[in-house]
Amino acid sequence: MMQYLNAVCTLFRAFVTPGSTVLVKVEMFAENIQTSRYGTNPDTVTLTAEWRTPSGNLESVTKQVFFYIQSQQYDATYPYIWYDYAGDCSGSLTPQNCHAKSWRANISVQDATSGLLSFRSDPVGLILSKEFIVGARDQVTGYYGASCCHTKVDIIATDVLGNSITKTIDVEKKWLNTGEISAIVLGSILLLLLIVLIVIGIVACVRRNKRTLNIYPDHRIAD
């Protein structure tokens, strides 16, 4: 059985004004490490912070993290973010009609090296399919939705070693790309039809102007 020692900083009580924060550092050490668990099957550690409201009620927040036992690793890679759209804003991008439609992006992120620390959006609004444990190396999914009056969102993912990446999702570009593709397809069809008409015209002209050329002189036999 693995046991943990924790050392918390000496700041046990603090008066926190609205909008301010207090940072409490927690260091964790592993004892009685079993070699068979090294680097595999991480333990799940639950961290809980408690505080009292001005009315005296005790409130708390809980977060789970994966605790890996392994040597210090070098990780310069960023989490990988990918997404797909569910709906677009075509025809609803003006201030007069943008409220009439909404769009949504289904988003996934994964950091298979050091594990995922945070996954959020700016503006706020990203909804996770389920809460993930800090240090998770599997795929984490969620979605972001908004009206067509707000067509952009930044998705920020950070791994436990501090590597962070931001991907901008712009549904307006998705709509423009679709229009460009449609224009290219239509233009290609029209060009093909034009080539066919030119070929048909050339063939018709050749047939109309075709002459039979006799290379032998025309001799008449005298009576």
Side-chain angles (χ1 to χ4, degrees):
M1 178 66 181
M2 190 179 300
Q3 297 179 349
Y4 301 102
L5 296 177
N6 62 79
V8 184
C9 71
T10 56
L11 181 60
F12 292 100
R13 294 179 179 273
F15 179 76
V16 184
T17 59
S20 63
T21 60
V22 173
L23 178 64
V24 178
K25 183 180 179 181
V26 178
E27 295 181 350
M28 302 185 64
F29 306 89
E31 288 187 339
N32 303 327
I33 299 176
Q34 300 177 15
T35 306
S36 61
R37 294 180 57 87
Y38 187 87
T40 60
N41 301 323
D43 278 349
T44 302
V45 179
T46 301
L47 303 176
T48 302
E50 296 181 340
W51 67 93
R52 288 194 178 276
T53 64
S55 60
N57 296 326
L58 183 64
E59 296 187 0
S60 65
V61 62
T62 299
K63 189 68 176 179
Q64 289 185 315
V65 299
F66 281 133
F67 192 87
Y68 292 94
I69 305 300
Q70 60 187 33
S71 59
Q72 181 68 34
Q73 59 179 334
Y74 175 76
D75 178 17
T77 60
Y78 301 100
Y80 180 58
I81 301 174
W82 67 99
Y83 62 91
D84 59 73
Y85 292 104
D88 59 47
C89 293
S90 56
S92 299
L93 290 173
T94 65
Q96 291 75 23
N97 63 7
C98 63
H99 290 286
K101 292 182 67 176
S102 61
W103 64 278
R104 167 174 161 165
N106 300 314
I107 309 163
S108 300
V109 63
Q110 184 174 14
D111 189 282
T113 307
S114 58
L116 189 64
L117 173 64
S118 64
F119 178 31
R120 61 186 179 87
S121 67
D122 183 18
V124 175
L126 176 66
I127 299 177
L128 300 180
S129 300
K130 64 177 181 179
E131 288 294 327
F132 69 93
I133 300 175
V134 172
R137 297 175 178 176
D138 297 328
Q139 176 180 331
V140 178
T141 61
Y143 69 89
Y144 179 90
S147 74
C148 290
C149 298
H150 306 281
T151 59
K152 291 183 181 180
V153 62
D154 288 334
I155 303 299
I156 304 103
T158 306
D159 66 20
V160 296
L161 293 184
N163 299 307
S164 181
I165 186 172
T166 299
K167 182 177 286 291
T168 299
I169 300 176
D170 188 347
V171 71
E172 187 174 353
K173 287 186 177 181
K174 184 254 185 182
W175 173 66
L176 291 175
N177 288 338
T178 302
E180 291 172 357
I181 292 173
S182 300
I184 292 173
V185 172
L186 180 60
S188 300
I189 294 174
L190 292 176
L191 179 61
L192 180 61
L193 291 176
L194 180 61
I195 293 174
V196 171
L197 291 175
I198 292 175
V199 171
I200 293 175
I202 293 174
V203 172
C205 289
V206 170
R207 288 180 177 177
R208 188 181 306 114
N209 298 325
K210 185 176 181 181
R211 296 290 185 271
T212 301
L213 179 62
N214 189 355
I215 62 175
Y216 298 101
D218 188 10
H219 298 285
R220 290 188 178 183
I221 301 175
D223 294 336

